[in-house]
Amino acid sequence: MISFPSDKIMWKVASAGFGLICGVAIIALMNQLNYLFYPVPEGRPEVLAVSYFANPLLLAGKLISIAAGCFFAGAISRLLHQGIEMVYAIAIAVVLMMLGLADLFTAEYPVWYWFVSLLVYVPASIAGFIFIERFHFKQTEET
């Protein structure tokens, strides 16, 4: 007989999934805004690589979008379910990191950007998780 997960586990997974969806949406929206401010010429991959190397503000904007998306993904998942553990925030960050690897393989980025971008995901998600845990639930207990 098939045993289904409990309602508690299903709500944890649902809140993590919604946080993940929101994180992907925030990263995509902020990347589009970043490309509006710092346009990249369309064309061959070598032209794209030169524009990434020549414009560090574009890469900084991409790092900010990754950090913001992961922060809000961890925060939203914690905000939606009070009993969710930090493991879920780390899992969200790992999934977002795997999606980010797809972006890293599509164009030639500087080596420093590879390292920095891969180091942003997990701490930003944990920071969002802890932010909600400390500030939101602390205020709820006081009232």
Side-chain angles (χ1 to χ4, degrees):
M1 178 119 185
I2 299 174
S3 87
F4 292 104
S6 67
D7 287 344
K8 191 175 185 180
I9 292 174
M10 290 300 287
W11 282 111
K12 286 180 182 181
V13 171
S15 68
F18 188 72
L20 179 65
I21 290 169
C22 290
V24 169
I26 289 169
I27 291 172
L29 176 68
M30 289 183 71
N31 271 332
Q32 290 302 315
L33 289 172
N34 192 27
Y35 284 121
L36 281 174
F37 291 131
Y38 306 105
V40 174
E42 304 244 350
R44 299 181 310 259
E46 54 271 4
V47 174
L48 187 63
V50 167
S51 67
Y52 279 140
F53 282 92
N55 196 351
L57 291 177
L58 175 69
L59 296 177
K62 287 177 75 73
L63 288 174
I64 291 170
S65 70
I66 291 169
C70 290
F71 181 87
F72 283 108
I76 288 171
S77 66
R78 178 68 172 131
L79 188 62
L80 290 178
H81 195 284
Q82 189 171 3
I84 197 168
E85 296 91 16
M86 192 172 301
V87 173
Y88 287 91
I90 294 170
I92 290 169
V94 168
V95 171
L96 288 172
M97 187 185 308
M98 288 189 293
L99 293 172
L101 279 173
D103 177 48
L104 288 174
F105 285 122
T106 58
E108 289 186 39
Y109 289 101
V111 175
W112 68 265
Y113 180 78
W114 273 75
F115 289 116
V116 173
S117 69
L118 292 177
L119 292 175
V120 167
Y121 289 96
V122 175
S125 182
I126 290 174
F129 181 88
I130 291 173
F131 179 80
I132 294 299
E133 187 175 77
R134 293 242 171 101
F135 294 108
H136 177 71
F137 292 123
K138 190 176 200 180
Q139 290 176 353
T140 335
E141 291 171 358
E142 291 175 358
T143 57

